[in-house]
Amino acid sequence: MKCTLKSDGIKTYFDVDGKAVYPAMFGSYNIMTDNVTDAKNNGMKAIMFPVYAGDEGINMESGLRPFYKNFFKGYGEYDFSPVEELLEIICSDVNEELYLVPRVCIEPPKWWQEANPDEVARDYRGEPQRECFTSEKWRKDMTEALFALIDYFNSSKWKDKIIGIHIAAGGTEEWPYQARYHNQFYDYSEPNRKAYIKWLENKYKTVKNLSKAWGETIS
């Protein structure tokens, strides 16, 4: 299957093997047979469903529990049975017109955070705040987990229904840094400090250029 995003000049749509599928999509954190059936009966051609690498809630301040069970259990250890359960519900009366877009949240599970204390974000007090987005270790490990999930999808009986993957992380799964409180600066971790230095070097090239741009004088 080949799926691309296209536009006819007015509307944006999925091109699935040459067939236009307009992305009116049903999505829910509470996938049940009845609401999925209702969505299908009301003409929805695409369904988005949640998939979790991590095992905590969508943010650190609300106390909301995880919406579903996670699949990333350890380095090289994955349990895709929760994903299988959702696919069974969604595809129970599958037809050729139905397509799937898993929303994959690559928040790290608690065991990963405990195993990698130098790779998590830190607030101004030094308290951990889940993943540091600039951590190369987090990126590498979550990439491996994501590829393992893709391999699972490609070997499943529903592989021809999956037309894309929505990758999410961070607060409310929308890519802001996780934080316990509003109106605070973050991230003060060492990986983020090093990444910021690298960004400054790439942008300004020299200390003189940086000082000029920031209105400072080199003594």
Side-chain angles (χ1 to χ4, degrees):
M1 175 193 294
K2 181 179 181 181
C3 178
T4 57
L5 202 59
K6 292 187 176 181
S7 173
D8 60 11
I10 299 175
K11 298 177 181 178
T12 300
Y13 63 94
F14 294 118
D15 183 297
V16 183
D17 290 337
K19 180 169 61 177
V21 178
Y22 289 91
M25 184 181 301
F26 169 78
S28 175
Y29 287 116
N30 186 24
I31 297 294
M32 297 186 299
T33 301
D34 289 347
N35 56 25
V36 171
T37 299
D38 286 345
K40 295 175 186 176
N41 290 340
N42 282 284
M44 292 294 167
K45 304 300 183 184
I47 292 180
M48 179 176 285
F49 62 97
V51 178
Y52 289 97
D55 52 5
E56 299 183 280
I58 63 172
N59 58 44
M60 299 181 67
E61 56 184 326
S62 67
L64 285 174
R65 61 177 175 77
F67 289 127
Y68 212 69
K69 293 169 283 188
N70 73 310
F71 70 85
F72 191 16
K73 301 301 184 181
Y75 292 119
E77 299 178 15
Y78 310 102
D79 177 9
F80 296 117
S81 59
V83 186
E84 188 81 13
E85 291 176 12
L86 293 180
L87 286 169
E88 288 286 356
I89 292 172
I90 296 168
C91 301
S92 58
D93 57 348
V94 70
N95 58 70
E96 293 183 0
E97 297 299 320
L98 181 68
Y99 298 101
L100 309 176
V101 179
R103 177 183 171 93
V104 182
C105 185
I106 56 174
E107 288 277 295
K110 191 68 175 178
W111 67 260
W112 187 95
Q113 298 171 53
E114 293 172 351
N116 298 278
D118 295 333
E119 304 296 332
V120 300
R122 299 277 171 178
D123 66 13
Y124 70 97
R125 300 166 303 178
E127 293 296 318
Q129 300 191 130
R130 299 192 190 172
E131 76 283 345
C132 168
F133 289 146
T134 59
S135 164
E136 294 298 328
K137 183 70 164 57
W138 173 72
R139 294 184 181 192
K140 175 181 178 295
D141 290 349
M142 301 317 298
T143 296
E144 290 178 0
L146 180 61
F147 282 3
L149 177 67
I150 292 172
D151 288 342
Y152 159 76
F153 284 140
N154 287 337
S155 63
S156 75
K157 58 185 176 182
W158 300 289
K159 63 181 181 181
D160 291 335
K161 299 300 176 186
I162 298 174
I163 58 175
I165 292 177
H166 180 182
I167 300 176
T172 63
E173 303 178 23
E174 295 171 310
W175 292 100
Y177 264 104
Q178 293 281 7
R180 289 182 178 84
Y181 314 102
H182 287 300
N183 302 321
Q184 63 171 310
F185 290 104
Y186 38 78
D187 162 25
Y188 294 90
S189 69
E190 185 63 12
N192 205 45
R193 187 186 72 85
K194 291 179 178 178
Y196 186 49
I197 290 173
K198 184 176 181 180
W199 180 84
L200 291 173
E201 290 174 343
N202 289 337
K203 181 174 178 64
Y204 296 106
K205 309 303 181 185
T206 67
V207 173
K208 182 178 180 180
N209 290 341
L210 185 150
S211 298
K212 181 179 179 181
W214 288 18
E216 296 181 353
T217 302
I218 302 176
S219 58

PDB file of all heavy atoms in Angstrom, residues 33 83-93 157-158:
ATOM      1  N   THR A  33     -16.706  -1.261  21.117  1.00  0.00           N
ATOM      2  CA  THR A  33     -17.389  -1.754  19.923  1.00  0.00           C
ATOM      3  C   THR A  33     -18.514  -0.824  19.492  1.00  0.00           C
ATOM      4  O   THR A  33     -18.650  -0.501  18.302  1.00  0.00           O
ATOM      5  CB  THR A  33     -17.941  -3.167  20.166  1.00  0.00           C
ATOM      6  OG1 THR A  33     -16.869  -4.036  20.515  1.00  0.00           O
ATOM      7  CG2 THR A  33     -18.636  -3.698  18.914  1.00  0.00           C
ATOM      8  N   VAL A  83      -2.483  -3.453  21.848  1.00  0.00           N
ATOM      9  CA  VAL A  83      -2.751  -2.940  20.505  1.00  0.00           C
ATOM     10  C   VAL A  83      -3.637  -3.926  19.744  1.00  0.00           C
ATOM     11  O   VAL A  83      -4.577  -3.535  19.040  1.00  0.00           O
ATOM     12  CB  VAL A  83      -1.433  -2.710  19.732  1.00  0.00           C
ATOM     13  CG1 VAL A  83      -1.710  -2.031  18.393  1.00  0.00           C
ATOM     14  CG2 VAL A  83      -0.460  -1.886  20.562  1.00  0.00           C
ATOM     15  N   GLU A  84      -3.335  -5.205  19.930  1.00  0.00           N
ATOM     16  CA  GLU A  84      -4.131  -6.256  19.279  1.00  0.00           C
ATOM     17  C   GLU A  84      -5.592  -6.183  19.715  1.00  0.00           C
ATOM     18  O   GLU A  84      -6.507  -6.332  18.893  1.00  0.00           O
ATOM     19  CB  GLU A  84      -3.547  -7.627  19.629  1.00  0.00           C
ATOM     20  CG  GLU A  84      -4.152  -8.785  18.866  1.00  0.00           C
ATOM     21  CD  GLU A  84      -3.559  -8.944  17.473  1.00  0.00           C
ATOM     22  OE1 GLU A  84      -2.522  -8.328  17.186  1.00  0.00           O
ATOM     23  OE2 GLU A  84      -4.154  -9.685  16.678  1.00  0.00           O
ATOM     24  N   GLU A  85      -5.815  -5.929  21.011  1.00  0.00           N
ATOM     25  CA  GLU A  85      -7.185  -5.831  21.515  1.00  0.00           C
ATOM     26  C   GLU A  85      -7.952  -4.710  20.815  1.00  0.00           C
ATOM     27  O   GLU A  85      -9.116  -4.881  20.430  1.00  0.00           O
ATOM     28  CB  GLU A  85      -7.156  -5.566  23.022  1.00  0.00           C
ATOM     29  CG  GLU A  85      -6.669  -6.731  23.860  1.00  0.00           C
ATOM     30  CD  GLU A  85      -6.562  -6.370  25.327  1.00  0.00           C
ATOM     31  OE1 GLU A  85      -7.078  -5.292  25.713  1.00  0.00           O
ATOM     32  OE2 GLU A  85      -5.961  -7.141  26.090  1.00  0.00           O
ATOM     33  N   LEU A  86      -7.306  -3.560  20.663  1.00  0.00           N
ATOM     34  CA  LEU A  86      -7.966  -2.434  20.005  1.00  0.00           C
ATOM     35  C   LEU A  86      -8.243  -2.724  18.539  1.00  0.00           C
ATOM     36  O   LEU A  86      -9.318  -2.391  18.020  1.00  0.00           O
ATOM     37  CB  LEU A  86      -7.111  -1.175  20.144  1.00  0.00           C
ATOM     38  CG  LEU A  86      -6.949  -0.612  21.560  1.00  0.00           C
ATOM     39  CD1 LEU A  86      -6.074   0.630  21.538  1.00  0.00           C
ATOM     40  CD2 LEU A  86      -8.299  -0.293  22.174  1.00  0.00           C
ATOM     41  N   LEU A  87      -7.290  -3.335  17.867  1.00  0.00           N
ATOM     42  CA  LEU A  87      -7.486  -3.659  16.452  1.00  0.00           C
ATOM     43  C   LEU A  87      -8.625  -4.656  16.266  1.00  0.00           C
ATOM     44  O   LEU A  87      -9.381  -4.565  15.293  1.00  0.00           O
ATOM     45  CB  LEU A  87      -6.184  -4.217  15.862  1.00  0.00           C
ATOM     46  CG  LEU A  87      -5.084  -3.179  15.626  1.00  0.00           C
ATOM     47  CD1 LEU A  87      -3.761  -3.866  15.311  1.00  0.00           C
ATOM     48  CD2 LEU A  87      -5.465  -2.236  14.495  1.00  0.00           C
ATOM     49  N   GLU A  88      -8.757  -5.593  17.179  1.00  0.00           N
ATOM     50  CA  GLU A  88      -9.853  -6.566  17.109  1.00  0.00           C
ATOM     51  C   GLU A  88     -11.198  -5.865  17.240  1.00  0.00           C
ATOM     52  O   GLU A  88     -12.159  -6.194  16.535  1.00  0.00           O
ATOM     53  CB  GLU A  88      -9.710  -7.621  18.207  1.00  0.00           C
ATOM     54  CG  GLU A  88      -8.578  -8.607  17.999  1.00  0.00           C
ATOM     55  CD  GLU A  88      -8.872  -9.641  16.920  1.00  0.00           C
ATOM     56  OE1 GLU A  88     -10.000  -9.639  16.379  1.00  0.00           O
ATOM     57  OE2 GLU A  88      -7.972 -10.455  16.623  1.00  0.00           O
ATOM     58  N   ILE A  89     -11.267  -4.886  18.148  1.00  0.00           N
ATOM     59  CA  ILE A  89     -12.518  -4.141  18.319  1.00  0.00           C
ATOM     60  C   ILE A  89     -12.826  -3.308  17.076  1.00  0.00           C
ATOM     61  O   ILE A  89     -13.935  -3.338  16.540  1.00  0.00           O
ATOM     62  CB  ILE A  89     -12.428  -3.227  19.552  1.00  0.00           C
ATOM     63  CG1 ILE A  89     -12.370  -4.071  20.836  1.00  0.00           C
ATOM     64  CG2 ILE A  89     -13.619  -2.271  19.608  1.00  0.00           C
ATOM     65  CD1 ILE A  89     -12.083  -3.252  22.081  1.00  0.00           C
ATOM     66  N   ILE A  90     -11.842  -2.586  16.602  1.00  0.00           N
ATOM     67  CA  ILE A  90     -12.050  -1.675  15.472  1.00  0.00           C
ATOM     68  C   ILE A  90     -12.375  -2.430  14.196  1.00  0.00           C
ATOM     69  O   ILE A  90     -13.238  -2.025  13.409  1.00  0.00           O
ATOM     70  CB  ILE A  90     -10.807  -0.798  15.263  1.00  0.00           C
ATOM     71  CG1 ILE A  90     -10.588   0.109  16.477  1.00  0.00           C
ATOM     72  CG2 ILE A  90     -10.934   0.043  13.998  1.00  0.00           C
ATOM     73  CD1 ILE A  90      -9.247   0.805  16.488  1.00  0.00           C
ATOM     74  N   CYS A  91     -11.700  -3.540  13.991  1.00  0.00           N
ATOM     75  CA  CYS A  91     -11.818  -4.267  12.725  1.00  0.00           C
ATOM     76  C   CYS A  91     -12.735  -5.485  12.819  1.00  0.00           C
ATOM     77  O   CYS A  91     -12.657  -6.388  11.986  1.00  0.00           O
ATOM     78  CB  CYS A  91     -10.445  -4.700  12.242  1.00  0.00           C
ATOM     79  SG  CYS A  91      -9.300  -3.344  11.969  1.00  0.00           S
ATOM     80  N   SER A  92     -13.606  -5.507  13.829  1.00  0.00           N
ATOM     81  CA  SER A  92     -14.463  -6.683  14.023  1.00  0.00           C
ATOM     82  C   SER A  92     -15.361  -6.954  12.823  1.00  0.00           C
ATOM     83  O   SER A  92     -15.670  -8.105  12.505  1.00  0.00           O
ATOM     84  CB  SER A  92     -15.322  -6.498  15.281  1.00  0.00           C
ATOM     85  OG  SER A  92     -16.105  -5.320  15.180  1.00  0.00           O
ATOM     86  N   ASP A  93     -15.790  -5.890  12.135  1.00  0.00           N
ATOM     87  CA  ASP A  93     -16.578  -6.086  10.907  1.00  0.00           C
ATOM     88  C   ASP A  93     -15.931  -5.277   9.786  1.00  0.00           C
ATOM     89  O   ASP A  93     -16.580  -4.518   9.084  1.00  0.00           O
ATOM     90  CB  ASP A  93     -18.030  -5.673  11.112  1.00  0.00           C
ATOM     91  CG  ASP A  93     -18.158  -4.223  11.578  1.00  0.00           C
ATOM     92  OD1 ASP A  93     -17.134  -3.636  11.953  1.00  0.00           O
ATOM     93  OD2 ASP A  93     -19.287  -3.699  11.559  1.00  0.00           O
ATOM     94  N   LYS A 157      -2.589  -8.870  10.392  1.00  0.00           N
ATOM     95  CA  LYS A 157      -3.557  -9.107   9.311  1.00  0.00           C
ATOM     96  C   LYS A 157      -4.255  -7.817   8.869  1.00  0.00           C
ATOM     97  O   LYS A 157      -4.991  -7.812   7.882  1.00  0.00           O
ATOM     98  CB  LYS A 157      -4.590 -10.138   9.748  1.00  0.00           C
ATOM     99  CG  LYS A 157      -5.371  -9.772  10.993  1.00  0.00           C
ATOM    100  CD  LYS A 157      -6.280 -10.930  11.402  1.00  0.00           C
ATOM    101  CE  LYS A 157      -7.009 -10.641  12.701  1.00  0.00           C
ATOM    102  NZ  LYS A 157      -7.856 -11.788  13.126  1.00  0.00           N
ATOM    103  N   TRP A 158      -3.997  -6.719   9.606  1.00  0.00           N
ATOM    104  CA  TRP A 158      -4.622  -5.445   9.249  1.00  0.00           C
ATOM    105  C   TRP A 158      -3.626  -4.478   8.618  1.00  0.00           C
ATOM    106  O   TRP A 158      -3.888  -3.283   8.520  1.00  0.00           O
ATOM    107  CB  TRP A 158      -5.224  -4.796  10.496  1.00  0.00           C
ATOM    108  CG  TRP A 158      -6.255  -5.659  11.137  1.00  0.00           C
ATOM    109  CD1 TRP A 158      -7.513  -5.956  10.666  1.00  0.00           C
ATOM    110  CD2 TRP A 158      -6.122  -6.364  12.367  1.00  0.00           C
ATOM    111  NE1 TRP A 158      -8.164  -6.780  11.532  1.00  0.00           N
ATOM    112  CE2 TRP A 158      -7.335  -7.065  12.586  1.00  0.00           C
ATOM    113  CE3 TRP A 158      -5.105  -6.484  13.305  1.00  0.00           C
ATOM    114  CZ2 TRP A 158      -7.544  -7.866  13.698  1.00  0.00           C
ATOM    115  CZ3 TRP A 158      -5.319  -7.272  14.417  1.00  0.00           C
ATOM    116  CH2 TRP A 158      -6.518  -7.950  14.614  1.00  0.00           C
TER     117      TRP A 158
END
